[in-house]
Amino acid sequence: MEKASIVMNTFNEKIEFLIPAIESYLSQEGCNIELIISTIEDDINLDLIKKKYPKIKLAIMERKDHPGKSPLGSFLQLNNALKYITGDWFSFASSNDLAYSFKIKKEIDTCNKFKRQICYSSYENINTEGERTNIIRFNDYNYKKHLQGNFVSDCALVSTNLLKRYMPFNTELKNYAYWDLWLRIYKREGNVFIYNPIPTWQYRQNPDSMH
């Protein structure tokens, strides 16, 4: 059974969002999951996470090295967590989004079936109450369209071998860091992307979300 490493960034998240997000990845079916929580040393939920999930890996940044909740802080947390990854596959997760129990296996199977190294899926938008507002759909990969705007989500599944060749994320680009990663990969690897039209996760839209 293939193993996937999930890095979940969190920063003083609302506990009513954080726990369901963690549980949604711990309950993945048909694959071996390694969940890594990436946070800072004074996160208000850190003690609770340690107590409730003692087997989860923690990637903890010192407070002095973190600029606070921001796109820069998020990608610094991601870069800090990379050294903990041991799975065959990698996926990013936010601490207020939810994954369907089939997300990781479906995306691994899709990559293997089409011999690709990155799978990006449709997803659902949900509001703060968890109600679905709409479904976000995409098309098969097109490089020219990708130059115009990023449609490969941050939560896409990536082969770890491929990911590590292109790390770390360029934190100076802030919210464009993932888009930059995808384009750098295409430039050297060609079309290693595959689109899965079945929604596999839910994106929670909050007033304080970092779009």
Side-chain angles (χ1 to χ4, degrees), residues 27-46:
S27 63
Q28 291 295 299
E29 300 172 350
C31 57
N32 186 5
I33 293 295
E34 170 185 63
L35 182 58
I36 303 162
I37 302 292
S38 183
T39 187
I40 59 171
E41 60 186 357
D42 60 351
D43 189 304
I44 59 174
N45 298 310
L46 187 54

Side-chain angles (χ1 to χ4, degrees), residues 7-210:
V7 172
M8 179 178 288
N9 274 8
T10 187
F11 184 91
N12 295 340
E13 183 62 79
K14 293 180 179 179
I15 199 66
E16 62 267 30
F17 295 161
L18 175 62
I19 297 302
I22 291 174
E23 294 290 343
S24 74
Y25 279 94
L26 292 179
S27 63
Q28 291 295 299
E29 300 172 350
C31 57
N32 186 5
I33 293 295
E34 170 185 63
L35 182 58
I36 303 162
I37 302 292
S38 183
T39 187
I40 59 171
E41 60 186 357
D42 60 351
D43 189 304
I44 59 174
N45 298 310
L46 187 54
D47 288 342
L48 182 148
I49 293 170
K50 289 179 178 179
K51 182 177 180 179
K52 188 173 179 63
Y53 305 104
K55 295 183 180 180
I56 286 181
K57 287 186 179 180
L58 294 172
I60 304 174
M61 290 186 65
E62 293 185 18
R63 190 68 182 87
K64 65 181 179 61
D65 297 327
H66 196 277
K69 186 172 183 178
S70 63
L72 172 59
S74 179
F75 282 100
L76 286 172
Q77 285 177 235
L78 258 177
N79 282 342
N80 183 57
L82 295 175
K83 58 182 174 286
Y84 296 93
I85 294 172
T86 64
D88 307 293
W89 300 90
F90 161 81
S91 183
F92 167 74
S94 174
S95 58
N96 57 20
D97 295 338
L98 300 171
Y100 283 111
S101 61
F102 57 83
K103 178 187 190 296
I104 301 301
K105 186 176 189 304
K106 175 63 178 176
E107 293 173 350
I108 290 175
D109 288 348
T110 302
C111 281
N112 288 336
K113 179 179 179 180
F114 293 96
K115 295 180 171 55
R116 302 295 174 88
Q117 297 186 70
I118 298 171
C119 179
Y120 62 103
S121 298
S122 293
Y123 63 90
E124 299 169 346
N125 282 329
I126 59 175
N127 59 25
T128 53
E129 287 73 39
E131 301 166 332
R132 188 175 73 181
T133 55
N134 63 323
I135 299 176
I136 306 300
R137 301 187 188 278
F138 304 99
N139 296 300
D140 291 339
Y141 189 82
N142 182 296
Y143 179 62
K144 290 184 178 179
K145 289 183 178 179
H146 206 184
L147 288 173
Q148 298 169 9
N150 185 34
F151 51 81
V152 181
S153 81
D154 295 0
C155 296
L157 182 86
V158 190
S159 160
T160 300
N161 287 335
L162 178 67
L163 178 80
K164 289 187 174 181
R165 294 203 295 270
Y166 291 89
M167 287 293 96
F169 287 97
N170 186 341
T171 57
E172 293 181 0
L173 296 177
K174 299 179 182 178
N175 265 349
Y176 294 107
Y178 252 112
W179 188 10
D180 166 72
L181 170 67
W182 305 139
L183 293 178
R184 284 191 287 119
I185 288 175
Y186 183 92
K187 185 175 181 180
R188 291 182 58 184
E189 310 289 339
N191 185 4
V192 294
F193 301 84
I194 187 69
Y195 169 55
N196 164 45
I198 299 172
T200 60
W201 59 286
Q202 296 180 318
Y203 172 57
R204 193 187 300 272
Q205 294 183 310
N206 301 313
D208 60 347
S209 293
M210 292 183 295

